[in-house]
Amino acid sequence: MRPLEGQTALVTGANSGIGAAIAIALGAAGAKVGVNYHSHREPAEEVVRQIAAAGSTAVALQADVSREDQVRKMFEAFLAEYGTLDILVNNAGIQKDAAFIDLTLKQWQAVIDVNLTGGFLCAREAVKESLRRGVVPERSRAAGKIIFISSVHERILWAGHANYAASKGGVMVLMKTMAQELAPQKIRVNSIAPGAIKTAINKEVWSDPQGAAAMCKLIPYGRIGETSDIAPVAVWLASDNSDYITGTTIFVDGGMILYPGFREGG
Ligand code: BGC
């Protein structure tokens, strides 16, 4: 019933959206959870309370994942609290959209720093701890499980979002390289690639009826996703039920990556 009982997990950007839903679901699955946030402590504390209410335990941890010193401190604090780390969910991500010609170096750098470098910095700390501890069969068959929250845009092109698409393409290659390199050490590395999921990042589009209708047209399954569509996939990827899966991206997108394949009658 609680496939992650006795394990510990750190979720970055867990104060809202997909990260919050994943943190709560990992807690409900039995894991002790580090709820990372960048600047909004209160919503992170609310996630901590929800995890406690569901019978597990959690701690809010502030860090800018793009800063090496802050990431190190966050991992030190996490390990001081829970002893070791089994699961890392690299979820923290931002979007700063602009037409290519107007894209500033600042916008480019900010998105690459958080979405790609942040994932690298956190993953490196997680891998260090997995290698230190090794496999402990009572905890899990793997020495560590790392899950990147990527995007359909690691695969489908996205005009007007060159920085974001480049960051997610980078995440894909980083994830696969890590999976290949670390499989002998029993560290599993995978990605979830959400499609259009209702969160703050794309609120401008889905909160406007015309924007929502245009979005739905791109989704063969005909609805915009919810964070609850993503969270159970993360729990499963973190659990031993997926022990033979590494180096894979699971698209959770209502078929968005199938668009614009030809479909008669619609
Ligand atoms: C982006 C969203 C977008 C979705 C589908 C996600 O990666 O962050 O803004 O709605 O992809 O295009």
Side-chain angles (χ1 to χ4, degrees), residues 157-174:
L157 307 177
W158 208 19
H161 307 258
N163 50 353
Y164 184 85
S167 76
K168 296 301 185 177
V171 162
M172 177 185 73
V173 179
L174 172 64

Side-chain angles (χ1 to χ4, degrees), residues 12 18 22 87-92 114-124 127 145-151 154 167-168 170-179 182 188-194 230 234 237 247-250:
T12 66
I18 291 173
I22 290 176
I87 299 152
L88 168 68
V89 182
N90 265 328
N91 165 78
V114 174
N115 297 9
L116 182 55
T117 308
F120 155 66
L121 290 172
C122 292
R124 195 179 52 173
V127 167
K145 281 86 53 140
I146 297 176
I147 300 165
F148 285 88
I149 304 305
S150 177
S151 164
E154 74 168 42
S167 76
K168 296 301 185 177
V171 162
M172 177 185 73
V173 179
L174 172 64
M175 177 279 283
K176 287 181 190 284
T177 307
M178 286 180 59
L182 297 164
R188 297 195 294 114
V189 192
N190 293 288
S191 289
I192 297 171
I230 306 293
L237 268 182
T248 290
T249 297
I250 299 182

Side-chain angles (χ1 to χ4, degrees), residues 95 151-153 158 164 194-196 201-202 215 256:
Q95 241 181 266
S151 164
V152 284
H153 300 297
W158 208 19
Y164 184 85
I201 213 168
N202 51 9
M215 206 178 225
M256 197 180 207

